[in-house]
Amino acid sequence: MRIASAKTIKKDCPMLLYVDKKKERQKKIKRILFIISIILIILINFIQFPIDLHQTKKQLLNYSSKTATPEWYTQAEPITILSTPSKKEIIFLIPKYSNRENLITLAKAFSIIPNNASEINISPEISFSEQIFKLAQIFSSQIKQNNKSTQIIVSSDAEKILKLAQTKNYFPYTINNTSLKDFIITPEVQAFLDSFAPLPLAPQNKQEQEQENLKKLIKDHKDIILSSIPSTPYAKIDYPISAQYILLKNSSICLSSQDKKICSLNTNKSLSYNIKEALQKFAPQEKAEQLSLLTSFQEIPYQSNISSNDGLLFRFELREYILLPQEIKKYKKRHNNKTDIFRYIKQQAGINPDYHTPKMKFYKFKTVEIDINDNI
């Protein structure tokens, strides 16, 4: 009998591999399930994202700015001071315009004026010389204005100050936002600020607070809002879909042109949705010129007094009509304030202005406007 060698067996009978069909089937099922889960995630995102986009819990009227409001001293422009070592002659290079922040910085700068200073020269290019003179008197009560004096000079003309600085050996330094942190506003300075640059009044009611929130929204996202409106400089700019404004709801809006006004008052939808809904009602050749963001509506009794910055909404059965604050102002101006705005809004809604029933509802609101065609 011939016995085959090991080489012959290996050549004629290749090694058989054992395959676990059960494990292979499980791997195949896992791969299929993984692919299906990926497809489902994509489909759910496509379906659910538009729903989430327009049914977000974030409220437009409760909007708060992402960036914290800076403290007053971060908004003040610096003031350059040039003085002789004895401070007998002092030059102030100040900003060209007056606001509360700059006046506070100027008060800090004027605190170095000797209390026996007698003359101040305020350059004619400064438009708020009266405020400067009164502020100087707080630190030196006997000081008088003399346009030829060289004792104390206040100017916003940098070239003029540079020429003056070259005539003598002045010591320059700057008063800015960081140097104001240790500045204590005295009662006299506080009274001056309250007289010449008072702080804006705080919102007194819910609608005024909502109006302030809308102003913050526009300040933060005006360009993004306008990007969704054709014919604006931002219409073709691709902003991220996750921009905060687009996720805000309870955002009633009105779009206005010269001859047309379309409003979308759906408070369950987002700002983006309401803008698009209103735009669809404009003809292709029509261009919206102004976007109005509306606060919430407050029901008021018939024939109530309406302030100059209030709008008016009328609802009766299936009829609805809205008058924006600017429309009410124009109408009253045409009629010398002798007309009844409640009769007018009923007439605009297609109802006899003499007819009235308690079922008729009237609401006031406030607005914030964006001029669409403005270059920002």
Side-chain angles (χ1 to χ4, degrees), residues 151-244:
Q151 186 182 22
I152 296 174
I153 298 174
V154 182
S155 176
S156 60
D157 187 339
E159 291 184 6
K160 177 182 176 181
I161 295 300
L162 182 61
K163 290 178 181 178
L164 286 171
Q166 291 172 348
T167 62
K168 293 185 180 181
N169 185 25
Y170 285 103
F171 175 72
Y173 59 100
T174 301
I175 297 290
N176 54 30
N177 52 3
T178 56
S179 59
L180 286 170
K181 290 181 180 179
D182 58 351
F183 177 55
I184 299 173
I185 298 176
T186 63
E188 293 81 8
V189 173
Q190 185 65 59
F192 167 83
L193 293 170
D194 292 341
S195 175
F196 289 98
L199 289 169
L201 295 174
Q204 299 298 308
N205 55 47
K206 179 185 175 184
Q207 287 188 328
E208 289 181 357
Q209 182 59 62
E210 290 175 356
Q211 189 179 38
E212 288 301 310
N213 293 342
L214 293 177
K215 288 178 182 178
K216 291 177 186 177
L217 173 82
I218 292 172
K219 184 179 179 181
D220 290 345
H221 299 300
K222 185 175 180 180
D223 52 347
I224 303 179
I225 295 171
L226 290 182
S227 70
S228 61
I229 302 176
S231 77
T232 68
Y234 295 93
K236 295 181 181 179
I237 297 178
D238 184 22
Y239 286 97
I241 199 70
S242 60
Q244 183 175 354

Side-chain angles (χ1 to χ4, degrees), residues 7-48:
K7 289 184 178 180
T8 306
I9 294 173
K10 189 174 181 180
K11 182 178 179 181
D12 297 339
C13 303
M15 186 180 293
L16 296 176
L17 297 175
Y18 173 73
V19 178
D20 190 334
K21 292 184 178 180
K22 186 176 180 180
K23 285 187 177 180
E24 285 295 312
R25 189 163 53 250
Q26 288 175 346
K27 288 181 181 179
K28 191 174 182 180
I29 291 171
K30 285 181 181 178
R31 283 195 294 267
I32 293 171
L33 288 175
F34 177 75
I35 294 170
I36 291 173
S37 64
I38 294 295
I39 294 170
L40 285 174
I41 289 170
I42 294 170
L43 286 174
I44 289 169
N45 272 281
F46 271 107
I47 295 169
Q48 190 63 29

Side-chain angles (χ1 to χ4, degrees), residues 59-329:
Q59 303 290 302
L60 171 69
L61 300 180
N62 295 329
Y63 177 83
S64 58
S65 179
K66 283 183 177 179
T67 55
T69 304
E71 295 184 47
W72 62 266
Y73 57 77
T74 64
Q75 302 176 29
E77 291 191 25
I79 291 174
T80 300
I81 301 173
L82 300 98
S83 68
T84 56
S86 61
K87 294 185 180 178
K88 288 184 178 180
E89 294 181 7
I90 308 173
I91 300 173
F92 297 95
L93 178 60
I94 68 171
K96 292 183 179 179
Y97 59 91
S98 167
N99 59 29
R100 186 179 179 88
E101 293 77 19
N102 287 341
L103 288 175
I104 293 173
T105 312
L106 187 58
K108 170 66 176 178
F110 276 4
S111 65
I112 70 166
I113 295 176
N115 55 17
N116 61 350
S118 58
E119 292 182 346
I120 185 170
N121 177 352
I122 303 173
S123 293
E125 81 274 1
I126 297 176
S127 59
F128 52 104
S129 57
E130 180 188 357
Q131 294 148 305
I132 293 172
F133 181 59
K134 287 186 179 296
L135 188 58
Q137 285 182 316
I138 293 174
F139 298 96
S140 180
S141 57
Q142 72 267 32
I143 200 166
K144 294 181 180 179
Q145 192 166 348
N146 180 355
N147 292 336
K148 294 182 180 179
S149 172
T150 58
Q151 186 182 22
I152 296 174
I153 298 174
V154 182
S155 176
S156 60
D157 187 339
E159 291 184 6
K160 177 182 176 181
I161 295 300
L162 182 61
K163 290 178 181 178
L164 286 171
Q166 291 172 348
T167 62
K168 293 185 180 181
N169 185 25
Y170 285 103
F171 175 72
Y173 59 100
T174 301
I175 297 290
N176 54 30
N177 52 3
T178 56
S179 59
L180 286 170
K181 290 181 180 179
D182 58 351
F183 177 55
I184 299 173
I185 298 176
T186 63
E188 293 81 8
V189 173
Q190 185 65 59
F192 167 83
L193 293 170
D194 292 341
S195 175
F196 289 98
L199 289 169
L201 295 174
Q204 299 298 308
N205 55 47
K206 179 185 175 184
Q207 287 188 328
E208 289 181 357
Q209 182 59 62
E210 290 175 356
Q211 189 179 38
E212 288 301 310
N213 293 342
L214 293 177
K215 288 178 182 178
K216 291 177 186 177
L217 173 82
I218 292 172
K219 184 179 179 181
D220 290 345
H221 299 300
K222 185 175 180 180
D223 52 347
I224 303 179
I225 295 171
L226 290 182
S227 70
S228 61
I229 302 176
S231 77
T232 68
Y234 295 93
K236 295 181 181 179
I237 297 178
D238 184 22
Y239 286 97
I241 199 70
S242 60
Q244 183 175 354
Y245 95 95
I246 211 167
L247 298 175
L248 296 165
K249 69 175 185 179
N250 74 345
S251 47
S252 301
I253 63 102
C254 287
L255 280 170
S256 308
S257 63
Q258 286 186 347
D259 306 315
K260 194 172 185 178
K261 177 188 66 192
I262 302 294
C263 296
S264 181
L265 310 181
N266 194 333
T267 56
N268 291 318
K269 298 294 183 180
S270 72
L271 174 59
S272 174
Y273 182 95
N274 281 338
I275 290 174
K276 289 177 182 177
E277 186 179 67
L279 282 170
Q280 289 173 358
K281 298 177 184 178
F282 278 88
Q285 68 275 13
E286 293 177 319
K287 290 186 178 180
E289 296 178 354
Q290 190 176 67
L291 169 65
S292 300
L293 304 183
L294 281 56
T295 66
S296 60
F297 302 113
Q298 178 186 344
E299 187 173 353
I300 56 174
Y302 182 55
Q303 298 292 4
S304 298
N305 290 326
I306 299 176
S307 67
S308 59
N309 62 346
D310 282 337
L312 186 62
L313 171 65
F314 169 70
R315 282 175 175 160
F316 176 56
E317 295 179 347
L318 298 178
R319 296 179 186 269
E320 181 179 82
Y321 197 82
I322 193 166
L323 286 174
L324 298 174
Q326 57 267 34
E327 293 179 296
I328 294 176
K329 286 178 185 176

